Amino acid sequence: MILISIILALIIERLAARGKYWQMSHYADMYVTHSGSIKSIFNSGFGVLIWLVMPSMLLAIIYDAFDSILIELLLNVCVLLICFGCAHQRARYKGYLNALTRGDNEAATLYALQIGQKRTEQEQGGEWFGQTLVWVNFRHYCAVMFWFVLLGAPGAVLYALSRSILEAIDESSEHVLKEHGQRLQTLLHWLDWLPARLASFGYLIIGNFSKGTSCWLKYVLDFKVSNRCVVTSTALAAEQIEQQYAGCTYEATCMMRLVKRNILFYLVLIALLTLFGNLA
């Protein structure tokens, strides 16, 4: 059931499900807006945490109310489609490639910043655009799959909702949860911690093992380093793209192929766990 749900969701998300109703950001905005009238919820960190977990608890109750494999499968696929949803990032990625193709580097940089690149590779402490793509795909696919396998659809919803709200806080200085941004950042850091190490390990298997291993071992038990650094640094080391290709379409397409191979690797891993009876 777990494997079939993930495969169906990935296929449908790739071919369709581009509208706003298949994006977690849409529901996260609605949830925040409708909850804004109850000011007491946002007065304490504990209240925000309970508020954040409520949709997952409600979803768990809904699952418990149905005793049908078909209904559970449909719910799983719909939930995963919403949690995976990254239509905005995909459209910006296409815009980035088109800008590079026509030689418009300024437009390409704007697209990269909109996707989530904090600093370009020319800036101190910056990252390659391909690394940004790896991180975006990790948060929209790998991490969601991890929590879905571990805790089912409620776990995927909790992660995706936390991710979307934090992204909205970063984009708006007047967000109603702005004062709780650091708490949500800490929560998401721990939600990302183990999935980041597992996803990075996948890059070693499907990429350059010897080069990537030294980078992975450097961060695997480091609780202070950012998960973004773990994922992006290991991916770049495993793919081994030469410096001359930084900022080119070749770099972006190479990193996207690495991400897709990593997802396939974990689908195989989930299939093996299911086959040997370790996944219900």
Side-chain angles (χ1 to χ4, degrees):
M1 179 69 73
I2 291 176
L3 180 63
I4 295 174
S5 300
I6 293 175
I7 292 176
L8 286 176
L10 287 172
I11 294 173
I12 297 173
E13 196 270 338
R14 181 64 180 173
L15 299 177
R18 305 292 174 84
K20 67 177 183 178
Y21 296 109
W22 296 108
Q23 313 300 313
M24 178 56 78
S25 57
H26 172 70
Y27 296 99
D29 291 342
M30 288 179 57
Y31 188 47
V32 171
T33 301
H34 292 324
S35 303
S37 57
I38 311 175
K39 299 296 184 180
S40 59
I41 294 179
F42 302 138
N43 288 339
S44 68
F46 182 74
V48 170
L49 181 61
I50 296 298
W51 170 82
L52 197 62
V53 174
M54 282 176 60
S56 297
M57 295 174 62
L58 178 61
L59 187 61
I61 294 173
I62 293 174
Y63 268 81
D64 190 58
F66 292 101
D67 189 19
S68 170
I69 295 178
L70 180 59
I71 293 178
E72 184 178 344
L73 177 63
L74 292 175
L75 285 174
N76 282 345
V77 173
C78 290
V79 168
L80 283 173
L81 282 172
I82 293 172
C83 293
F84 285 155
C86 57
H88 301 304
Q89 288 83 350
R90 183 175 285 113
R92 291 163 183 169
Y93 173 60
K94 290 181 179 179
Y96 172 85
L97 294 179
N98 290 334
L100 285 182
T101 301
R102 64 176 184 266
D104 190 346
N105 293 328
E106 183 177 350
T109 300
L110 290 176
Y111 277 118
L113 294 175
Q114 290 175 357
I115 290 174
Q117 189 177 28
K118 301 298 183 182
R119 299 183 183 87
T120 62
E121 60 271 9
Q122 288 85 15
E123 298 178 85
Q124 184 177 3
E127 64 183 18
W128 292 20
F129 178 70
Q131 291 179 290
T132 302
L133 290 177
V134 168
W135 177 245
V136 171
N137 276 270
F138 164 77
R139 277 201 156 172
H140 281 269
Y141 294 98
C142 294
V144 171
M145 288 168 57
F146 173 87
W147 288 109
F148 177 74
V149 169
L150 190 65
L151 298 176
V157 168
L158 174 62
Y159 178 83
L161 182 62
S162 302
R163 178 199 68 208
S164 296
I165 291 177
L166 190 60
E167 288 175 352
I169 291 175
D170 290 338
E171 292 176 1
S172 174
S173 59
E174 299 180 355
H175 196 278
V176 66
L177 290 173
K178 189 68 176 180
E179 62 179 296
H180 298 287
Q182 188 58 48
R183 292 189 180 94
L184 292 174
Q185 181 69 51
T186 301
L187 173 64
L188 206 57
H189 170 80
W190 291 112
L191 290 177
D192 279 333
W193 194 90
L194 185 54
R197 271 72 184 168
L198 293 176
S200 300
F201 181 76
Y203 296 136
L204 308 183
I205 304 300
I206 62 175
N208 189 305
F209 186 83
S210 59
K211 294 290 185 182
T213 300
S214 59
C215 182
W216 186 75
L217 291 175
K218 177 182 178 182
Y219 297 122
V220 64
L221 295 178
D222 192 334
F223 291 90
K224 295 182 180 180
V225 67
S226 70
N227 296 307
R228 182 170 185 152
C229 179
V230 177
V231 173
T232 58
S233 298
T234 306
L236 186 61
E239 186 63 13
Q240 274 197 307
I241 301 175
E242 297 180 9
Q243 182 69 37
Q244 61 180 328
Y245 295 115
C248 300
T249 56
Y250 176 78
E251 174 219 336
T253 53
C254 279
M255 297 301 274
M256 286 302 298
R257 285 197 296 267
L258 179 72
V259 167
K260 292 176 182 178
R261 294 200 306 271
N262 197 34
I263 291 177
L264 289 175
F265 169 75
Y266 276 101
L267 287 178
V268 172
L269 183 60
I270 294 171
L272 292 174
L273 290 174
T274 303
L275 181 64
F276 289 104
N278 290 320
L279 280 182

